[in-house]
Amino acid sequence: MTFSVTQSGAPCGAIVEGLDLTKQLECSQVAALRQEWLRSHVLIFPDQALSDDDLERYSLYFGHFGYDPFIAPVDGRDHVIAVERKAEEQAPVFAEVWHSDWSFQEVPPAGTCLYSIKIPPLGGDTEYINQHKALAEMPAELRRKIEGKTAIHSARAGYSPDGYFGDEEQEADRSMRIIVSEEANDTRRHPIIRRHPETGVEGLFGCFGYIIGIEGMSDNESRDLLMEVYNWQTRDEFVYRHQWQENMLVMWDNRSVLHKANGGYDGYDRLLHRTTIAEQIVA
């Protein structure tokens, strides 16, 4: 079974057509898809009527399941979580800030798969930013400021008892199964400029939010530098804005892009199912 790939025309993203992901893929197809994924960073598969079994099988072509620490899975599954918002929901839109999924882990996940089940007629786009391109085009003076520096990552601002999702009144009507935990106060360190584990290409890794400081710098110095980097790495010229349709699978490379959700669909239900792909650790 052959397939076609059409580039989005944006700094990242490609549409893949000609595959039925409800069927078992051949090893050669998976290898070709992996190369397209590494090249384009975000792959879009329209018109795929997937079950959770199909979603899990496809995810496992690219690695083991990753660990999702702060969102409970859907009933009957260990590795599928629901990204859900009800029409009447009042809580803020989930993940409406730039981030790389779970960058605060010791070994952050390689990728994420997100499959659309119910999509509103307006709003709800997901944006992606190419962090290889952002670094390649970064002004030399700013790059010198971050060269060799190590960022401190943590989920505490979001998922700790004192964090954003710890506000019980605000979170009372949220559909998503958020888990608030002291574990969110843990910290991990990763280089700000990091080589992609598979391609070796340098890129920026993570951003202000999950990054709470820079090793060896004061809080004020860290904050100022992180904001300077953030203002550069989130520029419009690095962005692909994805418009969802129902029965669409999107997979992205957390090692090379940031992403964020968008609202704008108040009064409509929205439901997607998500899996996380772990990094392959080579001994």
Side-chain angles (χ1 to χ4, degrees), residues 114-119 244-249 271-272:
L114 190 59
Y115 176 68
S116 56
I117 298 170
K118 191 170 187 62
I119 295 298
W244 288 92
Q245 300 171 3
E246 290 184 0
N247 299 329
M248 178 177 276
L249 175 68
L271 175 64
L272 305 93

Side-chain angles (χ1 to χ4, degrees), residues 16-17 21 44 71 78 87 95 160 192 205 263 281:
V16 181
E17 296 176 292
L21 300 185
I44 303 105
I71 307 174
D78 293 327
S160 74
I192 297 177
F205 182 66
I281 302 175

Side-chain angles (χ1 to χ4, degrees), residues 42-54:
V42 181
L43 295 184
I44 303 105
F45 300 83
D47 302 319
Q48 300 286 339
L50 304 185
S51 66
D52 283 340
D53 284 340
D54 297 325

